[in-house]
Amino acid sequence: MSEYKATLMDESAVIRALKRISHEILERNNGCDDMCIIGIKRRGVAIAQLIASNIAAIEGKKIDTGVIDITFYRDDISGHTHEPVLHSSEIPFDITGKRVILVDDVLYTGRTVRAAMDALMKFGRASSIQLAVLIDRGHRELPIRGDYVGKNIPTSKNERIYVKIPPFDKGTEVVLYG
């Protein structure tokens, strides 16, 4: 791993950002009717669950949540020397006609989001797909932007941002390595 540079967001900053994103989602969509939240494996799932929990607390309604695996939709899969590990997508509802809030931890080149949108198409035709990310670090290679962004953090290409969040990590924070 690279050299530690800084903690960009502590646990309370992450929680505040996710609460703000939750409110922005509700405001833009006039509530949560005909909406679902789908997290991109891995850390996008944990963030999606936190946003869904926030929305349920605000609106008093449970919102459909799902998990999308993009393994076979990536355009860089041929660059791997070993077989990709397939994780299953878990979307136990039809997304047709729904507003899908797609959630990931870090938005970088846009290729992960493009792969997730391709994977979503097999689950139905959403009325819209909106993107929520905790961190936008720039360096886009595709014309993709976050509709809801916790924090914009310009980085150099040799820097790395790690979002630490349970159940994958012991604590909650966003850390920069270079």
Side-chain angles (χ1 to χ4, degrees):
M1 186 177 288
S2 307
E3 175 186 330
Y4 169 84
K5 284 183 125 178
T7 297
L8 303 172
M9 296 175 82
D10 62 11
E11 183 174 11
S12 62
V14 170
I15 290 168
R16 277 192 310 275
L18 294 178
K19 283 185 179 178
R20 179 177 43 77
I21 287 170
S22 302
H23 282 283
E24 289 174 359
I25 289 169
L26 290 170
E27 185 174 320
R28 177 183 275 175
N29 292 283
N30 296 314
C32 63
D33 293 336
D34 297 318
M35 179 191 298
C36 62
I37 297 180
I38 298 176
I40 300 173
K41 277 205 170 173
R42 294 195 355 148
R43 284 170 176 79
V45 174
I47 294 169
Q49 290 167 343
L50 291 170
I51 291 171
S53 177
N54 288 342
I55 289 174
I58 296 164
E59 291 288 298
K61 296 180 187 174
K62 185 179 180 299
I63 188 164
D64 287 336
T65 59
V67 174
I68 194 82
D69 177 40
I70 63 163
T71 303
F72 287 110
Y73 293 90
R74 295 190 60 91
D75 60 6
D76 62 352
I77 203 162
S78 63
H80 296 292
T81 56
H82 56 283
E83 290 295 313
V85 176
L86 178 62
H87 304 282
S88 63
S89 294
E90 301 162 24
I91 303 176
F93 50 87
D94 187 8
I95 67 168
T96 301
K98 289 192 174 190
R99 289 168 290 150
V100 174
I101 311 299
L102 189 61
V103 180
D104 204 5
D105 58 347
V106 178
L107 178 56
Y108 181 39
T109 63
R111 293 186 180 280
T112 296
V113 174
R114 187 221 33 96
M117 289 189 297
D118 287 348
L120 272 176
M121 296 306 159
K122 74 177 187 179
F123 293 96
R125 183 171 182 188
S127 65
S128 68
I129 299 174
Q130 299 168 28
L131 177 62
V133 295
L134 181 59
I135 303 295
D136 183 343
R137 64 171 286 198
H139 303 285
R140 214 75 72 241
E141 295 174 5
L142 299 172
I144 291 174
R145 65 169 177 76
D147 296 287
Y148 313 99
V149 178
K151 189 168 188 168
N152 287 293
I153 301 175
T155 61
S156 71
K157 287 191 175 189
N158 64 347
E159 292 176 314
R160 296 287 176 257
I161 291 181
Y162 293 99
V163 173
K164 297 181 180 181
I165 196 159
F168 309 106
D169 307 289
K170 287 195 175 186
T172 301
E173 64 182 349
V174 178
V175 182
L176 178 67
Y177 288 89

